[in-house]
Amino acid sequence: MTAGRTGQALGAVGAPPRGGSHRVFLTVVAGLGAVSPLATDLYVPALPDMARSLGTTVAGTQATLTAFLLGVITGQLVLGPVSDLVGRRPILLSGTCAFAVFSLGCACAPTIEVMTTLRFGQGIGGAAGIVVGRAVIVDMYRGVELSRAYATLSAIGALGPVIAPVLGGGLLAVAPWRFLFIALALAGTALTIAAGRVVPESLPRERRVGGGARGALRTAGTLLSQPSVLVPIVTMGCMGAAVFAYIAGATFVLHDLMHLSATKSSVVYGINALANLGASLLYGRLVRTRRPETLMVVGAVTGLGGQFLLLTLTVAVGVHLWAFCLCLLITVASFGFLFPALSAVGQSRGRTAPGTMAALLGVAQFSFGAAASPLIGLFGTSSATPMTVVMSTFLALTTVGAFICRQQGRSGKLTVNIQEI
C-alpha cells in the first residue's frame, strides 16, 4: 500500500465527537486510563490493616503492589497488539469488566496468596483501559487535536493522586479495607457501562493487523527497528523512571527526614499533582501553535533544571523543606508537558499500529519505573541525595531523548507504515 493510499485510509475514520459529546468521550477514556493508578493509590493507606486481617507482614502486602504492577505491564504488552488484530471495543470492554470482577475478588480474598494472584489479574484487566484507550485516541484524532486530546487525558489523570488518598482515607474511616476493593469494582462496572455507551469501535477491519500472533510480533519488531519510534519509547521509559523515583523517594524524605505528618505530606503531593494538572492544561493551549517535540524539550529541560537545583542545594547546604518542595514542584509540573508530548509524538510515528505502539510506550513507562524504584532504597534513605541523583539521571536521559526526537521531527518520514513492510 502506498503512502498516499494509506493517508486516504486513515482519513476515512469517523470524525471524533464534538462539543459536549467530545468532553464526555475524553472523560470516559481518561477514566479508563486512570482506574489502574487509582487501584494502587486508593488502598496504600490500608496496607497495615490488610496485613493484620490476612495474617501476613507488611512485606507480604507490598508484594500485592508488585503483582499488580506486573499485571499492568503484562496486560499492556498483550492487549495492545491484540486490539490491533481484533478491534478496540472487545478488548476494552472485556478488560474493564475483568478489572471489576477481579476487584470484587480482592474484596473477598481469604489469604494473602489469593490476594496477590487476584491483584495480578486486576492489573491485566486495568491495563486494557490504559493501552486501548490511548489507541482509540490515535484512531480518532490527528495533528494538533491528537496532542490536545492527550493533554486532556494527562490533566484528568493528574487528579488521581489528589482524589485517591482523600477517597481512600474517607472510606477507611467508615468501613473496613475490603470496601476499598468494592469501590474499585463499582468503578470498573461504571466504566464498562460508560465505555459501552460512548466509546465506538474506532478500528475498521481493513486497518487491522493480519497474521495472528505472528503478525503482532512482526509488527512490534518493525516498530522497534525504526529509530524514529524507538527514541520516544525509550524516552517515555526514562520519564517513567523519574516519576517512580519521585513516588518511591519523596515519602522517605518527607516522613523520615522532615518529619511531616501523613496529612501534611498529602498536602505536598496534592499541590504537586495540581501543578502537573496546570502544566497539562497549559500544554493543551501551547500545542495549538508549537510542535509537541518542542514542548517536550521545554518540559525535559525544566524538570532536569528543578532536580539539578535541588541536588546543588542538598550538597551545598543540606535539605530544607521549602527548597525541597519548590524544586520538586518544578519537576513534577514538567511531567504535565512530557507525558502528552511523548504520547502524541510516539503514537503519531507508529500510528498504523496504535495498539502495539501504545503497548510499547506503556510497557517502557512502567518497566523502567519498576526498575528505578528500588534504586532509592539501594543507595540509602538517610538523605534526599539518592532520590535527587536517580531522578536527575533519568531526567538527563529524558532530555537527551527529547532533543533527538525534535531533531528527528525536522527531517525525514516518521510514520511507520506496517502495510508497506
Side-chain angles (χ1 to χ4, degrees), residues 40 43-68 111-113 115-116 119 177 181:
T40 297
Y43 96 121
V44 166
L47 290 180
D49 290 342
M50 182 189 298
R52 288 189 293 269
S53 176
L54 296 178
T56 186
T57 63
V58 173
T61 59
Q62 288 174 337
T64 66
L65 288 170
T66 303
F68 180 78
T111 66
I112 190 62
E113 292 78 14
M115 171 64 78
T116 302
R119 284 285 284 171
W177 64 266
F181 289 99

Side-chain angles (χ1 to χ4, degrees), residues 94-186:
S94 60
T96 309
C97 182
F99 173 87
V101 172
F102 278 109
S103 296
L104 185 59
C106 288
C108 304
T111 66
I112 190 62
E113 292 78 14
V114 173
M115 171 64 78
T116 302
T117 302
L118 290 170
R119 284 285 284 171
F120 179 76
Q122 187 189 38
I124 291 178
I130 298 174
V131 69
V132 182
R134 290 181 184 179
V136 169
I137 294 295
V138 180
D139 291 337
M140 300 186 70
Y141 293 90
R142 300 289 182 270
V144 172
E145 291 300 317
L146 175 64
S147 294
R148 294 189 65 196
Y150 273 122
T152 301
L153 297 189
S154 180
I156 296 175
L159 293 175
V162 179
I163 297 173
V166 177
L167 181 60
L171 287 173
L172 284 175
V174 298
W177 64 266
R178 294 182 185 274
F179 278 80
L180 298 179
F181 289 99
I182 293 176
L184 290 172
L186 293 174

Side-chain angles (χ1 to χ4, degrees), residues 151-152 154-156 274-286 336-337:
T152 301
S154 180
I156 296 175
L274 290 175
N276 183 287
L277 167 63
S280 298
L281 295 174
L282 178 60
Y283 172 89
R285 290 184 174 276
L286 294 178
F337 270 44

Side-chain angles (χ1 to χ4, degrees), residues 368-412:
F368 276 50
S373 296
L375 295 178
I376 307 298
L378 182 64
F379 292 120
T381 57
S382 59
S383 75
T385 303
M387 184 198 79
T388 307
V389 169
V390 172
M391 289 185 67
S392 297
T393 299
F394 282 108
L395 283 169
L397 295 173
T398 302
T399 303
V400 172
F403 275 104
I404 295 175
C405 281
R406 187 176 69 171
Q407 185 60 37
Q408 290 174 331
R410 292 174 174 173
S411 61

Side-chain angles (χ1 to χ4, degrees), residues 346-367:
Q347 295 280 182
S348 294
R349 296 181 181 186
R351 70 175 316 125
T352 48
T356 302
M357 188 66 201
L360 294 173
L361 288 168
V363 168
Q365 180 183 358
F366 280 88
S367 58

